[in-house]
Amino acid sequence: MEEDKKSLIDQTQTFHPSHSFASQANLKSFDEYQRLYDESINSPDTFWGRAANELHWFEPWRSVLDQSDKPNFKWFSGAKTNICYNCVDRNLETRENKLALIFEGEPGDTRVFTYRQLFDETCKFANTLFSLGIRKGDRVAIYLPLIPEAVISMLACARIGAIHSVIFGGFAADSIRGRILDSTCKLVITSDGGYRRGKNLHMKTIIDDAVTGCSSVEKILVIRRDNTSSQNVNMQEGRDVWYHEASADKLTTHESEHMDAEDMLFLLYTSGTTGTPKGIVHTTAGYMVGTYLSTKYIFDIHDSDIYWCTADVGWITGHSYVVYGPLLNGATILIYEGAPDYPNKARYWDLIEKYRVSIMYTAPTAIRTFMKWGDEFPNSKNLTSLRLLGSVGEPINPAAWLWYHKVIGGERCPIVDTWWQTETGSIMISPIPGVTITKPGSATLPFFGVDPAVLTDEGNETDYGTLAIRKPWPAMLRGIYQNPGRYVTGYWSNWGGAYYYTSDGAIKDQNGYYWIIGRLDDIVNVAGHRISTAELEGATITHPWVAESAFIGADHDIKGQALFGFVILKAGFQGSDQVRAEINEIIGRKLGRFEIPERLVFVNDLPKTRSGKIMRRLLRNIAERKELGNTSTLADPAVIDHIAEEFRKLD
Ligand code: ATP
Ligand code: MG
């Protein structure tokens, strides 16, 4: 490993788990983790068979893992089960009157569902789908705000064996159309509206536009979210159906379909950070067991918890850790429809205080935004109910980790920095709370059954290279929809097919801890030095005025490759040559002179995907003065013009 990186990681502060957390936890000691981990790697059939036995099966499996047709791995072959049955029916035995779902709308309206009520609503929804002609194997697109019906419709699809394709409620018509066409959906579930920053999103109108030219779509099922806008919704005779009308006479029982272990459960498009989104296929049994067990141990679910994952169900995090994993564990989940700054910047903290949230799972981009807004907002609320915090989506820079730990967690809550992907289905690398010693910025150690390696291009193990996974794991993707070839070439062709290729770069330190450095195409080679843009961003944010930054490597006439930085300052601060010099001084001191960027641009915003990840590819195009290419997953396309303008001012 390059010396400077090594010394940086060696100097990292470590945080030791508190004994009191571990003593009440589902996994109580590091020795227990080590013993179970070893078993999961050496005897996966025993390990995963035991985990699966904690759930309900209509028929048992013949084999836990079938590797006869690599890389088309099969888990729990021969078994029959249903994930909706396991999320809902199974919990009726002991948790019938426990809250399953708490919803708060942006305007402040609330709805709550016990497990019994969730059962009733899910069955009613399933019967409605059935009456619209939806059967096992049909694809159903779900385009909804984050309201209870988003969760219920996913569960109802799973109950009848229909394949859901959830499309994030912030996408515009073109992005939706592309996904509906790719998966030939028969039904689209949407709503008349939804709230975001006080405005009503006219989702049905967007869907009307999106489905033009989608010949597979037979029906559109419309949930009434907003009574006032309902009057103006255009309902096409014969195609569009109000949910409240279609469901009115439906029964609140519906027998779960007995699904084959490898029957498709859902398909979901990736975030599109690096290019065109891929339709990732997940199947029933392995996904169920993987999300169940990872939630149980990584989020340490207890019956007394109020669990809040802030992700939208339009992302994999929403699938695995808003809906399936927590409900499989009988948890009480909170969902919130709106923006974190509506009606003011304390809204999230208000929700935590109001519902006594004990577990919070969010993204680094959100954490950095909260830091930028200032401590007074979280400090104005009582956050003492929190006992565990999680992070996902991007590498979390140590400054954000420390802020989250101190200001939100009161220095009392373990932080689980969870590395995984849409493709992996469940968390792959993460601390076990109360058990693993944490280091800010490191996702630490693999979860059960995950056998990672850091490899050179030639396939030799190294301490800084490409993150790869040696063994199949239950919740792994089973393919890319309608594109079996791309599954093999994209994920299982490097290193002779012996490993799953993650496309992320990682460091393995002397304690065996994994540090996800970022996407491989964000690792820049300047004058023979391998520079991770995440590290530059981590150093830059230690300047007290800096709110967020993004660095990229771009082709340069003279140097071959050069570094460019884009920096957002906190509210009330102005960029100047003086600030630029100070930031460069920090980079030079912390990382080395050769990491000082060629150009450092002050900007108001960064180009982000709808899931909040920085699209560095677009910044690279600006620096190289190229066409921008596909920007369909960008949250706000106007941002790019402003950045290009600020960039050119420095010519
Ligand atoms: P696309 O594959 O279409 O470019 P995407 O990779 O952003 O989009 P996701 O599957 O939502 O789509 O994101 C997975 C990626 O997010 C990981 O490969 C990694 O780069 C990043 N990531 C997620 N969690 C973490 C984490 N805890 N630490 C570091 N990186 C993370
Ligand atoms: Mg990806």
Side-chain angles (χ1 to χ4, degrees), residues 18 113 149 158 182 184 256 261 442 468 471 499 506 525 531 545 559 574:
S18 82
F113 301 80
E149 286 77 7
D182 189 66
T184 52
S256 299
S442 170
K471 288 192 169 59
Y499 297 84
N525 198 322
I531 297 171
W545 289 14
K559 298 186 179 173
Q574 278 294 315

Side-chain angles (χ1 to χ4, degrees), residues 268-278 280 315-317 361 364 391-396 416-424 429 441-443 467 486 491 500 502-505 515-522 609 611 613-614 633:
L268 178 68
Y269 293 82
T270 57
S271 299
T273 311
T274 50
T276 316
K278 304 166 275 271
I280 302 299
W315 314 117
I316 189 66
T317 305
Y361 188 30
S391 171
V392 62
E394 282 185 286
I396 180 164
V416 288
D417 173 4
T418 61
W419 175 84
W420 59 298
Q421 308 175 303
T422 308
E423 294 89 335
T424 69
I429 302 181
S442 170
L467 182 63
R486 194 164 166 207
Y491 301 101
Y500 168 85
T502 66
S503 74
D504 285 336
W515 299 71
I516 312 303
I517 295 303
R519 292 152 198 287
L520 286 170
D521 47 356
D522 294 331
T609 62
S611 55
K613 299 176 194 210
I614 300 169
T633 52

Side-chain angles (χ1 to χ4, degrees), residues 99-249:
L99 285 185
L101 173 62
I102 303 172
F103 161 74
E104 181 158 314
E106 197 185 68
D109 53 326
T110 62
R111 287 162 74 192
V112 295
F113 301 80
T114 61
Y115 271 94
R116 167 58 65 185
Q117 290 163 330
L118 185 64
F119 172 85
D120 291 350
E121 293 301 323
T122 302
C123 289
K124 198 162 138 187
F125 210 112
N127 286 320
T128 309
L129 293 176
F130 209 76
S131 73
L132 294 173
I134 300 303
R135 296 290 180 273
K136 182 179 172 191
D138 288 340
R139 271 85 54 217
V140 173
I142 300 177
Y143 181 72
L144 285 173
L146 194 47
I147 56 175
E149 286 77 7
V151 176
I152 292 165
S153 61
M154 289 166 74
L155 292 169
C157 284
R159 194 168 190 88
I160 68 175
I163 296 160
H164 57 71
S165 169
V166 184
I167 302 172
F168 173 55
F171 276 127
D174 286 353
S175 305
I176 302 166
R177 187 178 308 116
R179 287 164 172 77
I180 292 178
L181 285 172
D182 189 66
S183 53
T184 52
C185 293
K186 203 166 160 185
L187 175 77
V188 180
I189 302 173
T190 190
S191 67
D192 54 348
Y195 295 94
R196 189 82 189 169
R197 292 213 172 80
K199 288 209 196 73
N200 191 340
L201 312 168
H202 295 282
M203 306 190 78
K204 172 63 167 63
T205 317
I206 299 170
I207 285 296
D208 285 340
D209 181 359
V211 298
T212 50
C214 298
S215 57
S216 62
V217 175
E218 292 173 9
K219 299 268 183 224
I220 299 178
L221 184 60
V222 188
I223 316 279
R224 189 167 64 191
R225 164 78 184 110
D226 172 53
N227 273 312
T228 51
S229 80
S230 294
Q231 278 96 53
N232 310 323
V233 172
N234 160 48
M235 297 292 281
Q236 187 178 309
E237 186 70 41
R239 185 194 68 179
D240 300 352
V241 181
W242 282 108
Y243 177 70
H244 60 275
E245 290 173 3
S247 65
D249 60 348

